[in-house]
Amino acid sequence: MRHLISLKEQSADDIREILDIAARLKKKYKAGEITDLLPNKTLIMLFQKNSTRTRLSFEAGMTELGGHAIFLATAHAQLPLADFRDEIQAMMRFGDVLMMRAMRAEDVQTAASFNRIPVIDACSEKYHPCQALGDILTMAEYSDGLDNVKKIAWLGIENNVSNTLKLACAKLGIEVVLASPEVHPASVDEELNSQADATGRVKRVQDPAEAVKGADYVHTDTWLDAEYFTVGKPRPEFAEEFERRKKVFMPYQVNAKLIDTYAPKARIMHCMPMHVGYEITRDAIDHPNSVIFDQAENRKHVQKAILLWLLEKAV
Ligand code: CP
């Protein structure tokens, strides 16, 4: 049985196959063709954390495939009072694929270990494979083919998103240069790092300007988790940590000056949500090189491809 957990399990050919399915599905969608390839199939979507893009893209994607998606938030389920292993086994009796926006990657792996239905890690503290695949689809489109994507740069914190993006790109032959002053401690996966490093395509530098020079794409992500914020402002209890992070991470900010000076041809990417003025500036988001909203849209085309690939359905 196939699962999508961290991309450690997928080969370069597997990744290419999913991307190829996504590109074909997107073309059909844009041409107005119906692709109801999963009639009577149900996707169970368990969210232990908030989401905008992941929920919308999976739910809309499942609708377009002729199936149904059930949204279940932890707060509305019996997870807080029961043993996770029991509840998740029961949940998997009601659907054909399970996706989890999980507090712990370990819980996704537990669900997958039952091998009952395919399981997707739809963002945990360690991985975000759906995001990586959507990002690579976007880069392949803008570069007129995956083989033309030669180098990406990642600025800011190393985290779940950079983990899976780094690994997938390295497997596909793309050079990855990270300029990151800190790694999110919960995101560390030594096995993933070893796999990525073994390709010889991952490099770390200190200087953001050096990282972006010659890059085709510059990526970043927020270095403040959502729980640090309330209605767009840092929570008072995180004020000290917020100030510390600003000092550490502001030199790695993606802004128009950095791009225009050192990488005028590089496209700007961000997985979203964005903290404007921190890891990225408004002038970078609105920059002519920004592909951020196409990147967001591609989540849906990739989710559909992931579902079909996991269920081994031909397009
Ligand atoms: N990038 C991403 O996964 O967005 P959400 O957290 O809104 O799903």
Side-chain angles (χ1 to χ4, degrees):
M1 179 163 294
R2 291 175 169 176
H3 303 286
L4 192 82
I5 308 289
S6 66
L7 295 178
K8 284 187 289 191
E9 314 79 15
Q10 276 72 40
S11 66
D13 283 348
D14 291 333
I15 295 170
R16 284 182 188 273
E17 191 184 339
I18 298 169
L19 294 170
D20 189 49
I21 297 169
R24 276 186 277 144
L25 285 169
K26 184 170 179 178
K27 201 168 165 193
K28 285 177 189 285
Y29 177 80
K30 297 287 178 190
E33 274 185 54
I34 304 290
T35 51
D36 48 354
L37 297 159
L38 296 181
N40 302 313
K41 297 287 183 197
T42 298
L43 171 67
I44 311 269
M45 305 192 301
L46 175 61
F47 281 85
Q48 298 179 309
K49 292 173 82 175
N50 289 348
S51 162
T52 301
R53 281 141 292 275
T54 304
R55 177 179 176 183
L56 291 174
S57 57
F58 266 114
E59 193 160 335
M62 201 58 185
T63 301
E64 289 170 20
L65 290 171
H68 179 63
I70 299 176
F71 171 76
L72 187 61
T74 309
H76 301 150
Q78 300 291 24
L79 282 163
L81 69 84
D83 187 312
F84 175 79
R85 292 172 66 88
D86 297 332
E87 284 296 293
I88 205 72
Q89 285 196 81
M91 274 183 216
M92 289 193 285
R93 297 291 174 115
F94 299 103
D96 301 281
V97 179
L98 169 70
M99 61 125 291
M100 288 176 64
R101 163 60 59 101
M103 294 298 291
R104 300 183 324 155
E106 197 185 318
D107 288 343
V108 186
Q109 284 152 9
T110 299
S113 71
F114 293 113
N115 250 354
R116 177 106 203 160
I117 57 175
V119 173
I120 302 167
D121 184 321
C123 191
S124 61
E125 83 285 15
K126 287 193 175 7
Y127 315 116
H128 202 350
C130 307
Q131 184 69 54
L133 293 167
D135 294 354
I136 297 170
L137 177 68
T138 309
M139 295 192 287
E141 286 175 350
Y142 273 96
S143 292
D144 203 19
L146 197 50
D147 293 341
N148 297 322
V149 183
K150 303 292 183 199
K151 175 184 167 181
I152 70 160
W154 178 275
L155 300 191
I157 197 161
E158 276 197 59
N159 61 9
N160 48 357
V161 177
S162 67
N163 275 350
T164 28
L165 182 65
K166 166 184 81 179
L167 180 63
C169 286
K171 284 189 182 191
L172 292 168
I174 300 165
E175 183 188 351
V176 180
V177 181
L178 303 116
S180 303
E182 280 184 18
V183 180
H184 193 302
S187 74
V188 174
D189 177 345
E190 294 300 355
E191 190 185 47
L192 182 146
N193 287 337
S194 300
Q195 257 197 35
D197 290 343
T199 65
R201 299 189 185 102
V202 178
K203 191 176 157 191
R204 287 181 173 76
V205 298
Q206 292 199 329
D207 180 8
E210 185 187 344
V212 303
K213 271 182 202 161
D216 301 304
Y217 296 89
V218 175
H219 294 252
T220 190
D221 190 9
T222 178
W223 33 262
L224 284 168
D225 289 337
E227 44 271 36
Y228 280 81
F229 273 74
T230 175
V231 246
K233 287 191 180 153
R235 285 180 185 278
E237 61 268 37
F238 293 122
E240 202 176 313
E241 176 61 9
F242 178 60
E243 290 306 317
R244 187 194 73 80
R245 290 195 189 202
K246 272 203 292 190
K247 280 199 191 84
V248 171
F249 287 106
M250 283 304 242
Y252 297 82
Q253 182 187 66
V254 174
N255 53 53
K257 189 174 169 207
L258 178 82
I259 297 298
D260 292 341
T261 310
Y262 299 105
K265 290 190 180 154
R267 308 268 185 187
I268 300 165
M269 299 184 72
H270 191 306
C271 58
M272 303 180 83
M274 299 181 277
H275 284 132
V276 184
Y278 299 107
E279 79 278 3
I280 192 163
T281 52
R282 176 55 60 196
D283 63 10
I285 298 165
D286 297 338
H287 196 281
N289 295 17
S290 166
V291 298
I292 290 169
F293 298 105
D294 290 333
Q295 180 184 4
E297 181 196 323
N298 276 341
R299 294 291 308 279
K300 184 184 73 173
H301 304 294
V302 153
Q303 316 297 37
K304 289 159 70 178
I306 291 168
L307 292 166
L308 292 173
W309 184 81
L310 288 171
L311 293 169
E312 302 185 52
K313 291 268 180 196
V315 182

